[in-house]
């Protein structure tokens, strides 16, 4: 695929490439800077809290995708690789999307992208990982309930969404909500 190159006015060494994958369903923008020491990437998946079939399942899945993949089966290999190469990763689950992102030493961008793509396209979703990540989601919820902005957010969801609207769902979930729905 030929990717058109755009140059913005000025003395910037950066080039900007825009293109689409899979027909036009995935729009991409790549910014290249030959002087950058770090590289970064992010992916937004069109599945968030409003799509939950059980309270917190999108959030739990966000946690699980990095616990090994078919191509990289060692649990936490993705994060270990990034840390060993000057980078880190994170993710968050919003209402309509789940976003995954990382940065890494520029020379390690391609192997980092391989790991991210593998995590998203072929996660192992092992049972023992599930048990640990359920605990991580539960701990995150316990931390959140002590913070006023999270309590206000949940109150807003209840008041604005009502009981029959997806906005009122318990989006972050906890161990109890996830096990109760699964059980």
């Amino acid at each position: 695929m030929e990717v058109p190159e755009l140059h913005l006015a000025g003395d910037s060494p950066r080039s900007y490439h825009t293109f689409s994958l899979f027909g036009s369903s995935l729009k991409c923008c790549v910014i290249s800077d030959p002087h950058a020491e770090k590289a970064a990437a992010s992916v937004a998946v069109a599945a968030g809290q409003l799509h939950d079939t059980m309270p917190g399942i999108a959030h739990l899945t966000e946690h699980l995708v990095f616990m090994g993949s078919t191509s990289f089966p060692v649990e936490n290999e993705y994060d270990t690789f990034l840390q060993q190469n000057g980078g880190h990763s994170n993710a968050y689950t919003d209402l309509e999307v789940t976003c995954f992102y990382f940065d890494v030493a520029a020379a390690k961008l391609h192997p980092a992208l391989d790991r991210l793509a593998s995590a998203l396209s072929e996660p192992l979703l092992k049972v023992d990982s599930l048990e640990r990540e359920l605990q991580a989601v539960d701990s995150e919820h316990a931390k959140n309930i002590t913070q006023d902005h999270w309590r206000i957010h949940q109150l807003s969801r209840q008041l604005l969404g009502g009981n029959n609207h997806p906005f009122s769902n318990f989006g972050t979930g906890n161990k109890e909500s996830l096990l109760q729905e699964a059980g």
Side-chain angles (χ1 to χ4, degrees):
M1 164 196 312
E2 187 171 320
V3 178
E5 184 172 337
L6 308 170
H7 287 283
L8 298 182
D11 296 332
S12 174
R14 292 183 180 143
S15 61
Y16 299 78
H17 306 273
T18 59
F19 55 96
S20 295
L21 297 174
F22 309 113
S24 63
S25 64
L26 180 61
K27 305 217 184 296
C28 304
C29 177
V30 176
I31 304 167
S32 300
D33 183 341
H35 305 296
E37 293 179 17
K38 281 201 159 185
S42 67
V43 175
V45 178
Q49 295 173 4
L50 292 180
H51 303 97
D52 278 352
T53 55
M54 58 189 339
I57 193 66
H59 183 214
L60 177 61
T61 304
E62 167 210 316
H63 281 250
L64 284 171
V65 298
F66 293 121
M67 296 295 113
S69 65
T70 302
S71 297
F72 301 95
V74 175
E75 191 169 297
N76 292 315
E77 195 276 343
Y78 172 75
D79 283 330
T80 300
F81 175 84
L82 293 174
Q83 290 170 5
Q84 290 172 343
N85 292 285
H88 81 287
S89 71
N90 208 340
Y92 64 90
T93 303
D94 209 339
L95 294 174
E96 295 183 338
V97 298
T98 300
C99 295
F100 303 89
Y101 56 95
F102 73 83
D103 66 12
V104 70
K108 298 297 184 176
L109 175 63
H110 290 285
L113 286 171
D114 286 344
R115 284 161 174 79
L116 176 61
S118 180
L120 295 174
S121 64
E122 52 184 35
L124 293 179
L125 307 174
K126 293 181 182 177
V127 171
D128 58 331
S129 296
L130 173 64
E131 292 168 358
R132 280 191 300 284
E133 293 311 308
L134 267 171
Q135 188 58 49
V137 166
D138 197 61
S139 295
E140 200 173 319
H141 171 67
K143 172 192 64 92
N144 289 348
I145 60 175
T146 66
Q147 298 175 3
D148 286 342
H149 72 277
W150 280 103
R151 289 190 284 214
I152 291 169
H153 179 69
Q154 189 59 34
L155 178 61
S156 297
R157 291 171 74 104
Q158 289 298 309
L159 293 174
L160 296 173
N163 290 334
N164 296 322
H165 193 279
F167 184 66
S168 66
N169 289 347
F170 181 26
T172 58
N174 64 8
K175 194 171 184 177
E176 180 183 346
S177 73
L178 287 158
L179 290 177
Q180 178 180 354
E181 291 290 325

